[in-house]
Amino acid sequence: MRIVVPVKQTPDLVEELELNDDGTDVDREFLKFVLSEWDDQALEEALLVKEATGAEVVAVGFGDPDVELSLSTALAKGADRAVNLTGLGDGWVSSHTRAEALAGWLSGQDVDLVLAGVQAVDDLDGQLPPLLAATLGWPHVGVVIAVEGKDNTIQVSQEFGGGRAARLEVKLPAVIGVQAARQPPRYASITRIRQAQQAGGIEEAAVTASGAGAGITVRRLFEPEKAGHAEMLTGSPEDVAGRILDLIRSKGVIK
Amino acid sequence: MANDILVLADHLKGQLSDTTLELVGKAKELAGATGGQAVVALLGAPDLAGQITGADAVLTVDHPALADYTPEAWEKALHHIVNERQPRLVLIGNSTIGMDLGAGLSATWDAPLVAYTVGLEADGADIVATAQVYGGKLLAEVALSGERGICTVVAGSFPAAAGGGSPAAEAIAPPAGLDDLKTAFLTLVEPEGGDVDITAAEILVSVGRGIGSQDNLDEVQELADALGAPLSASRPVTDAGWLPKTRQVGKSGLKVKPKVYLTFGISGAPEHLEGMRDSELIIACNTDANAPIFDVAHYGTTLDLFDLVPAMTDTLG
Ligand SMILES: Cc1cc2nc3c(=O)[nH]c(=O)nc-3n(C[C@H](O)[C@H](O)[C@H](O)COP(=O)(O)OP(=O)(O)OC[C@H]3O[C@@H](n4cnc5c(N)ncnc54)[C@H](O)[C@@H]3O)c2cc1C
Ligand SMILES: Nc1ncnc2c1ncn2[C@@H]1O[C@H](COP(=O)(O)O)[C@@H](O)[C@H]1O
């Protein structure tokens, strides 16, 4: 079984998100990009399936900022190959465009399973996994918290609200959107990541997309109105602690 | 038809989601502007039709493959209805079902999609959607200008339809292909009961990824004990195994409504807010002054949680 894990870089949300001049995108120049958290989960689940079945794991990037580091990290964690797909350009690229490009690349490969992240924080035109599946004509399941593979079928757990989960059986090839792996993602030591970087194991391939895109027009991005903003408590930790405890007491839940 | 607003009814185990009626309310309003009808598509559970109020029409598709949700069967049935009716706009709740079907329908019906929609207005011939991006730190105003579009909508964005009767349901013949699927439903697993029921607590102390490690939980546990509050958490904390799943608040966890909800190191992603925004008094501690949690909290502080937590515990003595 060959598993592809597409890995995406998204802005680190701890940083301030400045807008570009016409206010239709974040200003990418000074942003720090990190691996999308759900892709870390998808990679972990792929590595668990590899350990159970001997599957081959291929991490695939899209030329996003600093994606080389995430691809080297994937190799250090146990992915067999890493491929960086180039040619989609900089800036925000719609999920529709990325799905089309990835579908094109995948059709030239012998792939049984795509384990992608269920979503990313910069989705505006929807998530890539269902788009990719529809383009390829493969079945798709999202919000998945466990994947167990055997031969040409897999069993997955799909999560619903309140912690309920459905067990589904899916014939391969298929696309799965991973919400969480069965165990917390493993760490790779800095030494091993350096080794992977130095070994230079990242392959490159050029991809294209028709550019039909998502068909939506972003008029503007803006910060949510601060109308309902919290009243901020300032002062020393002791001052603020006292204020908070008074507030809690006013609700009668402690003495 | 071409001016209709079509809502996909979201249901699991015979229970219609609250979001369904929120979308019907909005669909009715938009249909007034487009000169069409508010139409609901109900898949696999025709007996739920009587619970759908405020719509102009309910279309049902029934087939054994639709009884228990699978993305493949539902996508085929939804595409079938949408293709036949060609509505102006399709509204789907942003639940697990909506996350599956919105983008799939966008590809097969060739219609643009706006995900994480929280606002919708008709603007001349355009439909303008407001959507959350970057974990709710920014909003995007997006125009759907063509003849068709799809929005997946965050729960709680609109008030529920203001009652009214339920229209007679019209059954639509199921599409071909539902007998030959690659996805099969096996079982639905209910969550295990927890040691404490966080939905019953009057005060919750809730921790997020800002806590950094499981060891650091001890300090917050001490404060929670002094307050007589159980610990609850955001998803990354339960995914990491630092607290049991039964303590998770949010979209895929539990909905809570305590008198006091006190958070440490939670950013306030939309999926978390969905589970706690109706709490009576929300107090948030987060070092990032721009964290979206402060938009729903009544009181906030940007102190470091590792300074504030011990100070609170000491003050309680
Ligand atoms: C389908 C789906 C369902 C989901 N369901 C849920 C759900 O049920 N519940 C849920 O919570 N999430 C859910 N999520 C995940 C959600 O999108 C967010 O990823 C998650 O809520 C983020 O958790 P967090 O706020 O703890 O972490 P982060 O977003 O990483 O925030 C950590 C915060 O801690 C602050 N911080 C760091 N250090 C300190 C310090 N020393 N003192 C004070 N503050 C500090 C930072 O400023 C930051 O804002 C779901 C996601 C998906 C896709
Ligand atoms: N730019 C990208 N590079 C690599 N993988 C991507 C990219 N965009 C989306 N994906 C994959 O699709 C998943 C969902 O992302 P999104 O389409 O942004 O919701 C991600 O978690 C990745 O697995």
Side-chain angles (χ1 to χ4, degrees):
Chain A
M1 173 154 56
R2 179 177 288 161
I3 305 174
V4 161
V5 181
V7 295
K8 171 175 188 172
Q9 302 285 111
T10 48
D12 189 347
L13 294 189
V14 173
E15 316 252 311
E16 182 126 5
L17 297 175
E18 308 248 2
L19 298 182
N20 65 4
D21 289 341
D22 65 0
T24 56
D25 191 12
V26 290
D27 186 349
R28 287 163 191 274
E29 204 174 334
F30 300 106
L31 278 177
K32 180 177 165 213
F33 281 80
V34 294
L35 177 66
S36 174
E37 63 176 285
W38 291 278
D39 296 2
D40 203 20
Q41 303 282 346
L43 178 65
E44 179 60 36
E45 196 62 17
L47 294 172
L48 292 174
V49 175
K50 171 180 171 170
E51 284 160 10
T53 66
E56 181 191 4
V57 174
V58 186
V60 177
F62 265 110
D64 292 339
D66 293 331
V67 75
E68 295 82 3
L69 176 61
S70 296
L71 290 172
S72 297
T73 306
L75 289 170
K77 287 182 175 184
D80 299 281
R81 287 171 56 203
V83 184
N84 197 8
L85 304 180
T86 57
L88 287 189
D90 306 328
W92 182 74
V93 179
S94 74
S95 301
H96 285 70
T97 304
R98 289 183 272 116
E100 186 195 341
L102 184 57
W105 182 78
L106 283 171
S107 54
Q109 314 285 317
D110 200 7
V111 171
D112 305 287
L113 179 59
V114 175
L115 291 185
V118 60
Q119 65 159 32
V121 291
D122 62 351
D123 293 333
L124 202 46
D125 66 323
Q127 297 79 21
L128 173 136
L131 285 166
L132 177 69
T135 311
L136 293 166
W138 295 4
H140 158 266
V141 185
V143 202
V144 163
I145 51 171
V147 179
E148 273 139 313
K150 58 170 191 333
D151 305 328
N152 298 320
T153 55
I154 52 170
Q155 285 198 3
V156 300
S157 295
Q158 178 175 47
E159 196 178 58
F160 291 87
R164 289 199 277 197
R167 296 283 294 167
L168 304 178
E169 189 163 78
V170 188
K171 291 202 183 102
L172 299 181
V175 180
I176 301 298
V178 175
Q179 157 78 358
R182 275 168 284 160
Q183 64 180 42
R186 64 196 69 192
Y187 286 97
S189 68
I190 304 285
T191 326
R192 298 204 54 182
I193 297 173
R194 288 238 174 81
Q195 279 167 358
Q197 281 172 323
Q198 278 154 10
I202 301 175
E203 304 159 40
E204 280 208 8
V207 288
T208 50
S210 68
I216 56 174
T217 318
V218 178
R219 289 187 176 174
R220 61 181 182 120
L221 289 185
F222 58 103
E223 286 189 13
E225 265 179 54
K226 300 287 180 198
H229 197 269
E231 179 179 336
M232 299 307 282
L233 307 174
T234 51
S236 69
E238 289 69 29
D239 294 343
V240 175
R243 290 284 312 278
I244 293 178
L245 290 172
D246 286 345
L247 286 165
I248 297 176
R249 280 193 196 97
S250 75
K251 298 300 285 184
V253 292
I254 56 165
K255 277 148 270 127
Chain B
M1 295 292 144
N3 297 324
D4 290 346
I5 313 294
L6 188 135
V7 173
L8 175 68
D10 187 310
H11 59 89
L12 190 70
K13 278 239 148 179
Q15 239 187 321
L16 198 66
S17 77
D18 294 346
T19 318
T20 305
L21 294 184
E22 294 164 13
L23 296 188
V24 170
K26 194 68 195 187
K28 186 78 186 154
E29 178 197 316
L30 289 173
T34 59
Q37 291 196 317
V39 181
V40 176
L42 176 60
L43 310 179
D47 44 318
L48 289 180
Q51 293 179 29
I52 296 170
T53 52
D56 297 310
V58 176
L59 309 175
T60 60
V61 182
D62 198 18
H63 185 282
L66 298 171
D68 289 299
Y69 171 78
T70 70
E72 191 184 6
W74 274 50
E75 210 277 316
K76 283 201 160 81
L78 177 61
H79 180 250
H80 178 66
I81 292 189
V82 165
N83 209 37
E84 208 155 272
R85 301 286 296 210
Q86 295 293 342
R88 169 68 180 88
L89 185 69
V90 177
L91 301 180
I92 311 178
N94 190 41
S95 62
T96 295
I97 292 175
M99 291 182 77
D100 272 349
L101 301 185
L105 184 68
S106 169
T108 57
W109 186 43
D110 193 20
L113 165 70
V114 182
Y116 307 101
T117 300
V118 291
L120 270 171
E121 303 294 334
D123 177 12
D126 288 356
I127 303 263
V128 177
T130 308
Q132 288 174 327
V133 264
Y134 300 112
K137 279 191 127 178
L138 292 175
L139 292 172
E141 191 178 294
V142 182
L144 286 163
S145 313
E147 290 170 355
R148 47 173 78 161
I150 306 166
C151 292
T152 52
V153 180
V154 175
S157 298
F158 309 123
S166 23
E170 178 190 336
I172 307 248
L178 285 182
D179 297 309
D180 178 26
L181 297 169
K182 296 172 191 144
T183 313
F185 171 86
L186 303 176
T187 65
L188 188 71
V189 185
E190 297 288 338
E192 284 167 30
D195 48 341
V196 278
D197 178 6
I198 58 168
T199 62
E202 291 204 316
I203 170 168
L204 285 171
V205 174
S206 213
V207 283
R209 184 151 41 200
I211 191 74
S213 76
Q214 183 162 26
D215 291 344
N216 293 338
L217 268 181
D218 291 349
E219 247 179 275
V220 189
Q221 181 73 61
E222 213 181 313
L223 171 63
D225 289 345
L227 289 169
L231 281 184
S232 57
S234 67
R235 172 145 206 154
V237 171
T238 60
D239 273 349
W242 299 343
L243 279 174
K245 269 276 159 205
T246 48
R247 304 292 185 98
Q248 184 185 315
V249 172
K251 173 173 179 165
S252 51
L254 294 163
K255 287 201 172 37
V256 298
K257 211 180 151 182
K259 286 191 176 156
V260 178
Y261 191 76
L262 177 61
T263 75
F264 294 102
I266 292 181
S267 65
E271 293 87 358
H272 188 80
L273 301 187
E274 210 178 301
M276 46 63 72
R277 64 180 327 144
D278 294 331
S279 306
E280 278 180 35
L281 174 65
I282 302 169
I283 307 171
C285 165
N286 191 312
T287 43
D288 177 4
N290 293 318
I293 189 78
F294 293 128
D295 299 333
V296 301
H298 303 98
Y299 294 89
T301 169
T302 54
L303 283 172
D304 190 308
L305 79 90
F306 296 108
D307 296 326
L308 180 60
V309 168
M312 286 182 69
T313 312
D314 288 349
T315 311
L316 280 166

